[in-house]
Amino acid sequence: MSNKNNNRLGRIEEELKKEISNIINYELENPKITGLISVTRTKITPDLKYAKVYVSILNAKNTNDTLANLKKSSGYIRSEIAKRINLRITPELIFILDDSMEYGAKIDQILKEIIPKKED
């Protein structure tokens, strides 16, 4: 039973990730949300009441402002999700900054600086 339930949650999480990404990037008209925003993953509670939405924000004027305004837009995003994904309960969206991509880019930069070039 629980394995079947995990598969269902996984499918819902993938669908949420895709739809939230589309809404943020193509439909959200908020000038205070800047930069390249990608939904890196979603994690939904088993009762479907809450979904943590991990977002990576690159090149924003102000990452904290962008995250705050995403949170303010969560009601709109949630209502759009309700129209697109057929769930008994549309989860409340909790936006969380995922800085792992930024961290990865920083590590890459450090490695480039400390590993000598092969042409030398």
Side-chain angles (χ1 to χ4, degrees), residues 5-18:
N5 206 17
N6 284 345
N7 288 344
R8 179 171 179 264
L9 284 180
R11 284 197 309 273
I12 294 170
E13 287 170 350
E14 276 307 305
E15 192 68 20
L16 274 175
K17 179 179 163 186
K18 189 179 82 179

Side-chain angles (χ1 to χ4, degrees), residues 39-58:
V39 178
T40 54
R41 68 189 173 110
T42 55
K43 187 81 181 126
I44 196 164
T45 56
D47 62 5
L48 305 181
K49 286 193 175 154
Y50 299 95
K52 288 182 180 175
V53 181
Y54 294 87
V55 290
S56 168
I57 303 171
L58 299 172

Side-chain angles (χ1 to χ4, degrees), residues 23-81:
I23 294 165
I24 290 172
N25 289 308
Y26 302 112
E27 295 163 42
L28 209 55
E29 293 176 10
N30 183 336
K32 294 178 182 164
I33 296 176
T34 60
L36 177 66
I37 299 168
S38 49
V39 178
T40 54
R41 68 189 173 110
T42 55
K43 187 81 181 126
I44 196 164
T45 56
D47 62 5
L48 305 181
K49 286 193 175 154
Y50 299 95
K52 288 182 180 175
V53 181
Y54 294 87
V55 290
S56 168
I57 303 171
L58 299 172
N59 303 329
K61 288 182 186 136
N62 183 322
T63 302
N64 291 335
D65 280 356
T66 294
L67 186 63
N69 281 290
L70 262 181
K71 289 176 181 177
K72 285 179 189 165
S73 301
S74 70
Y76 168 76
I77 297 169
R78 184 180 182 195
S79 67
E80 286 300 306
I81 291 295

Side-chain angles (χ1 to χ4, degrees), residues 61-104:
K61 288 182 186 136
N62 183 322
T63 302
N64 291 335
D65 280 356
T66 294
L67 186 63
N69 281 290
L70 262 181
K71 289 176 181 177
K72 285 179 189 165
S73 301
S74 70
Y76 168 76
I77 297 169
R78 184 180 182 195
S79 67
E80 286 300 306
I81 291 295
K83 295 174 193 170
R84 299 166 195 214
I85 303 177
N86 188 15
L87 294 171
R88 257 182 316 115
I89 305 165
T90 302
E92 191 175 315
L93 306 175
I94 301 161
F95 286 96
I96 299 169
L97 186 62
D98 179 355
D99 54 8
S100 61
M101 288 173 80
E102 197 176 305
Y103 180 76

